[in-house]
Amino acid sequence: MDSSISKACTVDGCDRPRISSLHCRLHHDRFKRTGSTDDPYPEVIERTCIDCKVIKPAAEFSKKGKGKWGQQKYQSYCKPCENERKRARPLTRDQEERQKEYRREWGRQNREKRTQQMAARRAANPERYSWQSYKNHLWKKYRLSWDEYEQIFVKQGGRCAICDQFLSDPRKRPAIDHDHETGVIRGLLCDPCNKGLGHFRDRLDVMRRAVTYLENAKSKTVPIYRYEFMQTKRNCGQ
């Protein structure tokens, strides 16, 4: 008889080496503890989450390692509840940095997969991701949080700070008017008013001359240069 087989555990299906006359370490300890070599901890098929109180398959729970007698152990919370608990739990600065670095590294290594995931999410909920992109734009470019943006919007009554027009068109979001030298947010404007300030290059002297020009033009029925141009055109026609 083969010596390796003769020294194997006598329990069916176990090929561990024997430490006693019949059993391996696992089955020897189990027999001493319970009086039987049968597994006192059968494989877990279902568990009840202690948070949502729902009976779920064992695959819905994260593994927790092995017990003293080799049984598989699982977390008390199902995976969705555990993820919610992790999101609600404040992270330390080191944890935040490690999380950001992991996401950046994963994104660099899985660019195509990440692009496909984001495209699928935007297609499933375009309105949500459209506004989310706008929120990210506000923070990245102006360091303006969404709460601060809403405070400015409410303070202006939902109107343009210059022409007093309602800023309620969902297709055209308000322009963030800011000082290009200091970066200070001045208010929310409609697109025409924002472009107008841009064309005037925020120069008060130029805007004052423009106001004077328009006021003087209103007092004349036909501007002189227009009158002279019309007279010249008639003379040329003769």
Side-chain angles (χ1 to χ4, degrees):
M1 182 180 291
D2 190 354
S3 60
S4 62
I5 297 178
S6 64
K7 293 182 180 180
C9 181
T10 58
V11 176
D12 293 340
C14 180
D15 57 356
R16 297 184 183 91
R18 286 188 296 184
I19 63 156
S20 64
S21 58
L22 297 175
H23 305 131
C24 63
R25 170 64 67 182
L26 174 66
H27 292 106
H28 177 73
D29 292 344
R30 185 179 294 171
F31 185 80
K32 287 176 61 178
R33 185 167 54 89
T34 64
S36 172
T37 57
D38 295 336
D39 189 359
Y41 301 100
E43 183 180 358
V44 177
I45 300 176
E46 293 180 337
R47 281 182 65 86
T48 302
C49 176
I50 64 175
D51 192 1
C52 62
K53 310 298 182 184
V54 177
I55 300 176
K56 297 183 178 182
E60 292 291 323
F61 296 81
S62 299
K63 293 182 179 180
K64 199 178 179 179
K66 298 284 187 178
K68 181 178 180 181
W69 309 106
Q71 72 275 19
Q72 180 63 60
K73 299 173 69 176
Y74 294 90
Q75 298 286 352
S76 301
Y77 299 91
C78 63
K79 291 179 181 179
C81 292
E82 182 66 24
N83 291 336
E84 290 296 328
R85 286 168 55 83
K86 287 180 180 180
R87 293 190 190 101
R89 188 185 308 151
L91 300 177
T92 63
R93 186 179 297 275
D94 292 339
Q95 289 174 333
E96 289 180 354
E97 292 298 327
R98 287 198 299 268
Q99 190 179 75
K100 290 179 181 178
E101 182 59 31
Y102 171 80
R103 289 176 177 174
R104 284 193 291 264
E105 185 63 27
W106 187 91
R108 286 192 291 266
Q109 296 178 1
N110 302 271
R111 292 182 183 276
E112 185 176 352
K113 184 176 181 180
R114 181 178 177 82
T115 302
Q116 293 175 354
Q117 289 178 347
M118 293 304 298
R121 291 174 185 172
R122 290 192 180 96
N125 197 341
E127 183 176 355
R128 173 192 170 189
Y129 278 92
S130 175
W131 280 104
Q132 186 63 41
S133 298
Y134 185 57
K135 292 178 183 179
N136 295 339
H137 166 73
L138 292 178
W139 178 252
K140 288 181 180 179
K141 186 171 183 178
Y142 305 107
R143 291 300 175 189
L144 184 67
S145 68
W146 185 249
D147 291 337
E148 294 171 335
Y149 170 85
E150 288 185 329
Q151 290 176 6
I152 299 174
F153 189 87
V154 172
K155 184 177 180 180
Q156 295 183 195
R159 295 173 179 267
C160 173
I162 294 179
C163 67
D164 208 33
Q165 178 183 357
F166 277 109
L167 303 172
S168 58
D169 188 350
R171 296 169 298 176
K172 296 181 179 179
R173 299 189 180 96
I176 310 299
D177 179 41
H178 65 288
D179 191 320
H180 291 269
E181 294 182 358
T182 63
V184 176
I185 304 297
R186 295 185 292 210
L188 305 180
L189 304 178
C190 63
D191 189 59
C193 291
N194 185 58
K195 289 181 177 179
L197 289 182
H199 290 314
F200 280 114
R201 300 180 296 282
D202 292 350
R203 289 183 55 185
L204 297 178
D205 56 335
V206 176
M207 286 188 275
R208 290 192 186 100
R209 287 200 294 269
V211 172
T212 304
Y213 168 79
L214 292 176
E215 289 175 347
N216 294 337
K218 281 187 177 181
S219 63
K220 301 176 183 178
T221 306
V222 179
I224 297 176
Y225 72 87
R226 175 65 178 171
Y227 177 76
E228 293 177 350
F229 173 76
M230 292 170 64
Q231 287 288 60
T232 304
K233 189 174 181 182
R234 291 195 187 99
N235 294 334
C236 292
Q238 293 177 357

